[in-house]
Amino acid sequence: MHLADDSLSLAEADLAYSNDWFIRLRWIASAGVLAGALFVTTIPKTGIPSAPLWIIGTCILLYNLTFSLIARHARASGGSPSAYRRLAYAQMILDWLAITLLVQFTGGIVSPLTFFYVFHVVIACMFFTPKTSFAFTFLAIFSFTTIVVLEYFSILPHYPIIAWRNYRIYVYQDPLYVTTVWASFSITLIILTYLASGRSERLRHREAQVLALSETLKLNSAKLQALNDNARTVNSTLELSQVLNHLVTNTAHVMRVRACSIRLLDKTGKQLEPAAVYGLSQEYQGKGPIELAHSPLDREVLEGKVINIPDVRQSSLLQYPDWALQEGICSMVSAPLMGKSKLLGILRAYADDRDRFTSDDEAFLSAIAAQGSIAIENALAYQTIETLDATKGAFIRVFTHELRSPVSVIRSLLQTVLSGYTGEINPQQRDILDRAARRVDFLRKLIDDLLDLANGRAPQTSADLKAPVPLNGVLENVVKRFELPANEKGLTLEWHGDPPGGECLVWATVEGLDRIFNNLVSNAVKYTPQGGKVRVALNRAAKEAVVEVADTGIGIPAEAMPHLFEEFFRAPNARSIEREGTGLGLSIVRETVNNLGGRVSVQSEPGVGTCFTVTLPLAEAGS
Amino acid sequence: MTQKQILIVDDDPDQRLTIRLPLEAVGYQIHEATNFDEGLVAARELKPDLIILDVMMDSATAGFQLALSMHSPDPESEFKEFKGIPIILLTAIHSTTSLRFAPDEYYLPVEAFLEKPVKPEILVATVRKHMN
């Protein structure tokens, strides 16, 4: 079907072009006729009248002018194919009339212009079907015969080419001559038509083939491009719902069909739940889960087959055929979504017309389904990991919360005894209670850090609380908090917090930011020896706030660097400065920074100092 | 001088002990209640000079609610008799930083917050400061 449509449109386009070409040629032809008229006027030896030649030449000129105006107008207004076709016929008919008249006025059977019919035949064969070309040829033969016969019987006047004194040639009334020339003329035209139109038809066929081929190539290239695009979009996210939506939308667009849907197997493996849909009505979507027991179609698809239903009315494979018909769906094709280890579900395309899907479409849908399966499986795996992580976080939060209370009470009880509210205690008892209190303090710190870590990792809970927070103020508070400890330790604590452009708003929670910088500044103060310097600086980069916490402390050994942000990791030189530490501080920093969409990096040289750089996206107005 | 009365409302007996011991040691008379309702009954009977409330009892915010009821600004409040009694709130809200609740006349009408674990010296000092 495709083939015929396109070759026709090509022929139409060609017709428009050839019309212009005709018109250009005809200017020359009319000039030739007028030149001929001038020629016979100046040559006394001929019997050819010049007046008819002048008239015919002028007529050709005039009707060509008309055609050129019509063609220009048709081009300007878009020009329908049938208009061009009519124009071509009109030109052809007038041209054949003109040549016939010219032949008559230039000697009929002996006219040298009879050869010019050849051009007309060739032109007709080039632009019309063989049938039309033959029709024109027979028209020419008929006109020629009429002239010849009428002149033979002297019904029409004969205009001799040579009329010198009394010299006249009467061959036009010689039966043998007339018959021979007439027969040669007719046979020439017929054979010429046969040869030229056959050749021309073959060329036209070739052209159509080339066109069809190029169309197929274009289609295939579009499909490849679509597959490529599909792979890119479905893999651009790990969010299951987005992956599914990309898949159905892309599939429907690329296959140029009305709708597409994905159904995924539920946990029982007995039902297909609707998961994503494009182009189907709410009512249709609302038909609910498909039970495999009642849907032979889906059972077969899940066995790994691509099933094409060319006519929904004729099919007994569907669970809800009436729903589909009511929705106006006449044909559909379904492909299995198969993961590496298990069946996932079904990808289905729907069309409004019957017999819409070819075997090419089946293969294409199968390819998209294969691509989609990988993406869906990845998204499902990611979802599982996220759920696990969230569960872990929730568990840690509940667990640590429950731990805090008894630990607090133990600490208070110890302190009550240590403070002497229960009577005097001896030095050994005090020492033991002090040790117990220290261990309990460490336990508390550990619980608090675990809680921070879990909070830092809880994107859902903290996302709701995020708001644009001025980073300047948070940092200033943190720095103030450490002024006294730094002073007592003999450290210089510098704060550079006035970046050009004023307040740095970041999309965060105050608690999260505080947690990050409290840990970093606390570490810097802790691991910088007396006389050293801790410097906290806030700067603006393109769309980010950059905070540097730099110290002149003990530094981080190169071998410790790769493990720095790992949970419970402590560098050996840090251990030697403070024996008890949870090793969770930097994990908390990294998790919290990640959760806020930022980055943290570190540069350090043992014995010289360390610089942590935290980069957070700015929450500018409107973003 | 009669002994000053302090009411401790906390569901944890060990926690109550850590509050009771230092305060008794410095001469206050201590009464205990274990939940919201008991706390109200005890407060009516005793007319204590100060109340120490744990934030988390029956629910995560029972202490807040009790404090809010007792210090309601509504002159018709059924708890208006408690309005003059200072309240110290014991909080266990996690803290490694200083970004914590501070008493707010409008938001939480209490005299002071004490974070658990409570240091006895600070407890005693806070109670003395707010005792009428």
Side-chain angles (χ1 to χ4, degrees):
Chain A
M1 287 294 107
H2 238 93
L3 215 139
D5 284 345
D6 277 337
S7 66
L8 191 73
S9 74
L10 180 83
E12 302 296 355
D14 212 32
L15 214 56
Y17 169 78
S18 52
N19 267 316
D20 294 345
W21 191 58
F22 274 179
I23 290 167
R24 277 202 304 278
L25 277 182
R26 197 172 296 106
W27 293 125
I28 301 168
S30 61
V33 173
L34 292 173
L38 188 67
F39 180 70
V40 294
T41 319
T42 55
I43 290 181
K45 208 169 129 178
T46 182
I48 296 171
S50 62
L53 297 194
W54 284 115
I55 293 167
I56 293 169
T58 311
C59 282
I60 296 176
L61 203 64
L62 286 176
Y63 77 69
N64 201 38
L65 190 69
T66 315
F67 284 136
S68 107
L69 290 175
I70 292 174
R72 189 173 299 171
H73 179 253
R75 226 187 350 264
S77 61
S80 72
S82 61
Y84 281 121
R85 193 167 281 273
R86 276 198 303 277
L87 193 62
Y89 277 116
Q91 292 186 68
M92 215 60 195
I93 288 165
L94 284 176
D95 283 344
W96 288 64
L97 187 65
I99 184 75
T100 304
L101 287 173
L102 279 174
V103 165
Q104 209 273 315
F105 286 111
T106 54
I109 191 90
V110 294
S111 166
L113 300 188
T114 48
F115 291 110
F116 288 2
Y117 272 111
V118 169
F119 303 139
H120 289 67
V121 168
V122 171
I123 288 174
C125 289
M126 278 162 78
F127 299 111
F128 297 107
T129 61
K131 229 190 245 175
T132 315
S133 307
F134 271 109
F136 275 116
T137 299
F138 285 114
L139 185 70
I141 293 171
F142 173 75
S143 321
F144 185 64
T145 311
T146 312
I147 294 168
V148 169
V149 169
L150 292 180
E151 284 190 17
Y152 183 86
F153 292 110
S154 298
I155 299 169
L156 265 182
H158 174 74
Y159 302 100
I161 299 174
I162 299 165
W164 187 249
R165 299 207 180 114
N166 290 326
Y167 178 78
R168 280 182 82 108
I169 295 169
Y170 292 97
V171 285
Y172 72 96
Q173 278 173 335
D174 181 283
L176 184 66
Y177 179 82
V178 168
T179 319
T180 318
V181 171
W182 176 85
S184 322
F185 174 83
S186 302
I187 291 167
T188 305
L189 285 202
I190 290 168
I191 290 177
L192 183 65
T193 310
Y194 173 74
L195 291 176
S197 71
R199 193 69 217 155
S200 168
E201 187 63 5
R202 194 157 168 71
L203 275 176
R204 229 171 296 171
H205 185 67
R206 275 281 165 78
E207 215 164 35
Q209 276 180 327
V210 168
L211 198 80
L213 194 68
S214 98
E215 193 66 18
T216 314
L217 283 176
K218 228 190 295 177
L219 212 69
N220 282 345
S221 133
K223 278 185 175 175
L224 272 180
Q225 179 70 39
L227 268 180
N228 193 20
D229 286 353
N230 191 53
R232 212 182 42 238
T233 48
V234 296
N235 285 313
S236 67
T237 171
L238 278 170
E239 196 65 45
L240 182 64
S241 62
Q242 284 185 20
V243 169
L244 297 173
N245 281 329
H246 279 318
L247 259 179
V248 289
T249 313
N250 288 353
T251 308
H253 285 164
V254 173
M255 296 185 80
R256 297 183 200 168
V257 290
R258 141 110 178 264
C260 182
S261 76
I262 289 177
R263 283 177 174 270
L264 296 179
L265 274 174
D266 70 354
K267 287 200 178 79
T268 66
K270 288 176 182 164
Q271 283 191 343
L272 284 165
E273 299 276 3
V277 79
Y278 174 85
L280 294 174
S281 71
Q282 286 293 332
E283 291 80 37
Y284 188 74
Q285 293 176 43
K287 71 182 183 181
I290 291 178
E291 286 145 40
L292 284 183
H294 297 134
S295 175
L297 165 67
D298 294 306
R299 282 204 304 275
E300 282 192 42
V301 174
L302 286 176
E303 279 166 19
K305 296 180 200 155
V306 178
I307 304 281
N308 186 355
I309 295 184
D311 187 351
V312 169
R313 273 180 303 182
Q314 307 278 317
S315 175
S316 57
L317 293 173
L318 297 174
Q319 185 182 1
Y320 303 103
D322 297 339
W323 284 85
L325 288 172
Q326 211 173 337
E327 182 75 7
I329 293 163
C330 292
S331 60
M332 57 173 80
V333 58
S334 315
L337 293 164
M338 289 188 290
K340 286 186 205 77
S341 52
K342 60 171 185 174
L343 289 169
L344 301 170
I346 283 175
L347 175 66
R348 199 164 4 244
Y350 308 80
D352 293 331
D353 39 0
R354 276 177 282 156
D355 299 315
R356 167 64 179 75
F357 298 102
T358 63
S359 58
D360 269 1
D361 289 326
E362 291 172 24
F364 185 66
L365 189 74
S366 182
I368 287 198
Q371 253 179 9
S373 302
I374 298 170
I376 291 173
E377 211 168 40
N378 287 345
L380 283 172
Y382 183 70
Q383 212 175 36
T384 314
I385 292 171
E386 277 206 317
T387 317
L388 274 180
D389 208 45
T391 315
K392 189 178 98 182
F395 173 76
I396 291 177
R397 274 196 298 282
V398 172
F399 178 70
T400 48
H401 218 93
E402 290 304 311
L403 274 180
R404 288 190 93 248
S405 197
V407 169
S408 283
V409 174
I410 293 171
R411 186 68 179 86
S412 296
L413 288 168
L414 286 173
Q415 193 59 46
T416 309
V417 178
L418 276 168
S419 301
Y421 292 103
T422 55
E424 281 300 309
I425 47 171
N426 69 36
Q428 194 186 13
Q429 287 168 333
R430 173 170 298 278
D431 178 49
I432 292 171
L433 289 175
D434 271 337
R435 284 166 189 265
R438 273 204 306 276
R439 299 311 279 260
V440 171
D441 280 342
F442 174 71
L443 199 53
R444 266 181 52 230
K445 171 79 174 123
L446 188 61
I447 292 166
D448 286 350
D449 279 0
L450 276 173
L451 204 53
D452 273 347
L453 193 61
N455 283 336
R457 272 189 190 158
Q460 288 90 349
T461 47
S462 51
D464 304 333
L465 304 168
K466 278 184 199 168
V469 177
L471 194 50
N472 315 47
V474 174
L475 284 168
E476 208 169 314
N477 277 337
V478 173
V479 172
K480 264 190 199 147
R481 192 178 309 148
F482 287 96
E483 265 168 8
L484 189 66
N487 234 339
E488 282 174 351
K489 211 179 157 183
L491 302 178
T492 325
L493 180 56
E494 283 181 11
W495 160 232
H496 303 272
D498 296 304
E503 226 169 39
C504 281
L505 291 177
V506 290
W507 200 257
T509 61
V510 175
E511 295 221 350
L513 293 176
D514 195 278
R515 202 148 59 208
I516 296 167
F517 298 109
N518 191 73
N519 269 300
L520 291 178
V521 179
S522 159
N523 279 351
V525 170
K526 199 183 296 172
Y527 299 117
T528 303
Q530 189 174 6
K533 191 169 99 174
V534 173
R535 180 176 178 276
V536 181
L538 169 60
N539 284 298
R540 248 170 203 278
K543 282 179 176 171
E544 294 172 323
V546 182
V547 184
E548 284 177 356
V549 180
D551 64 43
T552 58
I554 57 171
I556 303 160
E559 63 273 16
M561 277 292 206
H563 308 286
L564 201 59
F565 292 98
E566 284 173 14
E567 290 157 21
F568 302 109
F569 175 82
R570 295 191 71 214
N573 58 345
R575 260 177 222 280
S576 68
I577 288 203
E578 194 193 47
R579 204 171 66 81
E580 283 171 340
T582 62
L584 289 172
L586 289 178
S587 306
I588 293 168
V589 168
R590 192 184 52 183
E591 291 297 330
T592 315
V593 169
N594 284 352
N595 197 11
L596 297 178
R599 305 184 302 278
V600 58
S601 63
V602 58
Q603 282 182 309
S604 183
E605 202 176 317
V608 177
T610 305
C611 178
F612 281 89
T613 308
V614 175
T615 312
L616 295 166
L618 285 172
E620 297 301 345
S623 66
Chain B
M1 183 186 124
T2 53
Q3 260 190 320
K4 295 276 190 186
Q5 313 274 321
I6 295 177
L7 174 62
I8 305 172
V9 189
D10 193 328
D11 58 349
D12 183 336
D14 294 338
Q15 181 68 50
R16 291 200 301 269
L17 185 65
T18 66
I19 308 289
R20 166 193 274 274
L21 288 175
L23 293 177
E24 275 183 346
V26 296
Y28 293 113
Q29 191 174 358
I30 307 300
H31 303 273
E32 295 180 10
T34 62
N35 58 38
F36 187 101
D37 297 325
E38 264 187 42
L40 273 180
V41 172
R44 282 224 165 83
E45 280 177 7
L46 294 165
K47 306 236 170 349
D49 299 288
L50 185 139
I51 298 173
I52 298 176
L53 273 179
D54 186 27
V55 169
M56 281 172 76
M57 289 185 287
D58 314 324
S59 75
T61 54
F64 282 140
Q65 285 162 16
L66 192 57
L68 276 174
S69 311
M70 287 181 166
H71 280 184
S72 165
D74 179 5
E76 299 303 313
S77 161
E78 54 171 320
F79 306 111
K80 56 177 186 274
E81 50 188 311
F82 303 124
K83 216 170 170 177
I85 305 176
I87 295 176
I88 296 173
L89 210 52
L90 294 177
T91 62
I93 291 168
H94 156 58
S95 137
T96 49
T97 69
S98 61
L99 293 161
R100 297 302 141 193
F101 295 112
D104 181 324
E105 197 181 333
Y106 303 100
Y107 176 54
L108 268 180
V110 299
E111 274 60 28
F113 285 90
L114 279 178
E115 232 168 66
K116 293 193 274 190
V118 181
K119 290 209 169 85
E121 296 78 6
I122 294 173
L123 170 69
V124 170
T126 310
V127 167
R128 279 192 176 135
K129 183 178 163 197
H130 296 287
M131 185 63 79
N132 289 336

